[in-house]
Amino acid sequence: MKFATVGTGWITSAFIDAAKLSGKLSLQAVYSRRKESAEQMAAKHQAPEQFTDLEQMAKSDKIDLVYIASPNALHFKQVLTFLINKKHVICEKPIFSNTEEFKEAFAAADENGVYLFEAIRNIHYPNTLLLKDKLKAAGQIRSAIFQYVQYSSRYDAFLDGKEPNVFSRKFSGGALMDLGVYPLSLAVFLFGAPKDSHYFPVLLRNGIDGAGTLVLEYADFNITVMCSKISHSFIPSEIHGEKASIVIEGISELSKMQLVDAHTKEAVLFSENQEEQNMVYEIRDFVKIMEEKDREAYQRLRQESFDVLTVLEKSRKQNGIHFRTDRS
Ligand SMILES: NC(=O)c1ccc[n+]([C@@H]2O[C@H](COP(=O)([O-])OP(=O)(O)OC[C@H]3O[C@@H](n4cnc5c(N)ncnc54)[C@H](OP(=O)(O)O)[C@@H]3O)[C@@H](O)[C@H]2O)c1
């Protein structure tokens, strides 16, 4: 399958490298708004073609699939451009700014007979499956704390009076959209959609959440999700069961996980070493779904993405965080 890319940030290079490792996708073209950066990107990754016109790239019959890594607010319009030209789309997290965009885009994917996927890597790792399996050994889950608290170098620019996309409501940014989406997606993958949710943001001067605490309510337990782009955490995430706790290092990487007995306090490592280019796992999952036309797996991912976006949207509405792309 031949693919193209949108966006020239580091994550696009990481995706291209992972695509190469997967052995399933070959890079055909790159897009940038500027000729110079399109050329640089094409040279860096030996892409046969480069574009500065998105429509033109979307119409190319040499491309089967596009990977989109642009600012969140642009996802919807760009995704639609490719879907209506019958290209499969892998779009970066969070897939859209609101659920209206989500419904419209997935309907367009169905109408055009193509697939649309959200690139949220931490629900596709081998370690994610090991974690889900290990929940049984933890016994009845009673609480969890998931955190992604990472100081962003872009916050320095924000403090200097600028407004980087990720700290902007215009571009559907904020801590919950950018980082909270990882722990939230993992929670939805492991436990399903929460019964209810409440977000307590730390708002910055322009009304964006620089940090926040999201409480997810389930039938027998709550999950506290902490996210921040304006401070840094040095503690792991944890799931607390009646028999044992699970300690997770790196909620977006799931690099190291231990089961710790609640009584003996004995810790057993159960995670495995994963590929450094860990986007390879989502790529393999997406390609498998397309090759096998596995509608069930596709619907499962789609529902999870929808449940995550529903919480993201509700969290914003609870706090009057309005995005430019919001229709209501
Ligand atoms: N999966 C992950 O681990 C991961 C990691 C980082 C980011 N992401 C996601 O990837 C996406 C991009 O994030 P990022 O931090 O790379 O964003 P970014 O730096 O703000 O922008 C990414 C690219 O979009 C284009 N762009 C920037 N501003 C634009 C504008 N005003 N109008 C049109 N195009 C614009 C630029 O490409 P050109 O100038 O070349 O056109 C830029 O390279 C987001 O959805 C983010 O959540 C995912």
Side-chain angles (χ1 to χ4, degrees):
M1 231 178 216
K2 291 189 173 172
F3 79 103
T5 61
V6 175
T8 50
W10 67 267
I11 193 63
T12 301
S13 289
F15 182 90
I16 294 170
D17 290 343
K20 198 177 279 181
L21 181 66
S22 78
K24 293 286 186 181
L25 298 179
S26 80
L27 181 64
Q28 175 64 25
V30 298
Y31 161 85
S32 170
R33 290 167 298 170
R34 287 181 307 118
K35 192 166 178 283
E36 224 174 62
S37 49
E39 280 170 1
Q40 271 172 15
M41 194 73 174
K44 183 175 175 190
H45 296 287
Q46 294 95 46
E49 291 184 283
Q50 71 238 11
F51 291 86
T52 51
D53 184 324
L54 201 75
E55 292 275 346
Q56 210 184 326
M57 186 165 88
K59 287 188 185 351
S60 165
D61 56 9
K62 290 190 192 141
I63 293 163
D64 306 300
L65 178 148
V66 66
Y67 165 74
I68 296 180
S70 56
N72 303 333
L74 307 183
H75 290 178
F76 176 67
K77 210 164 162 243
Q78 294 181 336
V79 164
L80 268 196
T81 302
F82 287 94
L83 293 178
I84 60 180
N85 282 289
K86 304 204 183 304
K87 306 294 187 284
H88 306 297
V89 176
I90 298 175
C91 181
E92 262 307 334
K93 45 52 68 173
I95 187 162
F96 296 119
S97 300
N98 57 59
T99 49
E100 282 175 329
E101 290 181 349
F102 185 102
K103 287 175 193 162
E104 210 176 301
F106 273 93
D110 290 346
E111 277 161 29
N112 287 283
V114 286
Y115 290 91
L116 169 57
F117 298 103
E118 179 177 24
I120 177 77
R121 45 183 152 157
N122 65 342
I123 65 165
H124 294 279
Y125 302 145
N127 279 345
T128 321
L129 294 178
L130 292 177
L131 173 60
K132 192 160 190 171
D133 196 48
K134 202 49 91 176
L135 289 176
K136 293 188 257 337
Q140 173 64 56
I141 303 304
R142 287 306 186 191
S143 57
I145 176 152
F146 285 178
Q147 63 86 12
Y148 201 162
V149 173
Q150 184 170 281
Y151 188 92
S152 166
S153 57
R154 291 173 180 175
Y155 187 47
D156 295 339
F158 184 86
L159 290 174
D160 276 348
K162 300 188 186 81
E163 195 179 76
N165 298 340
V166 79
F167 282 101
S168 150
R169 286 190 292 138
K170 183 177 162 197
F171 287 103
S172 307
L176 188 61
M177 290 289 279
D178 192 51
L179 298 186
V181 66
Y182 288 98
L184 172 59
S185 298
L186 187 65
V188 168
F189 173 83
L190 294 175
F191 304 113
K195 273 198 317 173
D196 204 356
S197 62
H198 304 273
Y199 187 49
F200 305 91
V202 175
L203 297 178
L204 303 180
R205 62 165 190 260
N206 59 351
I208 200 76
D209 53 325
T213 303
L214 171 68
V215 180
L216 304 175
E217 194 184 340
Y218 287 90
D220 305 307
F221 59 94
N222 298 324
I223 300 179
T224 307
V225 172
M226 290 176 66
C227 56
S228 175
K229 292 185 71 66
I230 58 174
S231 57
H232 206 91
S233 166
F234 300 92
I235 56 166
S237 295
E238 290 184 337
I239 299 171
H240 312 122
E242 289 182 353
K243 290 188 187 153
S245 292
I246 296 172
V247 181
I248 304 164
E249 283 179 31
I251 204 78
S252 67
E253 312 291 326
L254 302 187
S255 45
K256 187 177 170 197
M257 299 186 294
Q258 289 179 289
L259 185 76
V260 186
D261 189 283
H263 305 285
T264 65
K265 313 290 186 287
E266 187 196 351
V268 178
L269 181 76
F270 67 90
S271 54
E272 290 176 356
N273 290 335
Q274 301 186 141
E275 293 285 358
E276 203 175 312
Q277 290 161 342
N278 60 23
M279 293 176 93
V280 71
Y281 301 113
E282 67 195 56
I283 293 170
R284 284 181 187 149
D285 281 354
F286 299 153
V287 172
K288 188 165 183 278
I289 286 173
M290 290 188 281
E291 281 178 349
E292 296 177 4
K293 298 188 173 45
D294 186 346
R295 297 303 295 183
E296 204 182 310
Y298 181 59
Q299 287 302 334
R300 200 166 49 240
L301 286 180
R302 176 173 171 163
Q303 185 63 46
E304 283 167 4
S305 286
F306 183 76
D307 292 342
V308 166
L309 189 55
T310 301
V311 174
L312 293 175
E313 190 175 18
K314 181 175 172 179
S315 301
R316 290 197 293 111
K317 289 198 168 150
Q318 285 171 346
N319 294 282
I321 305 173
H322 192 78
F323 287 162
R324 186 176 275 192
T325 49
D326 286 341
R327 300 171 198 183
S328 52

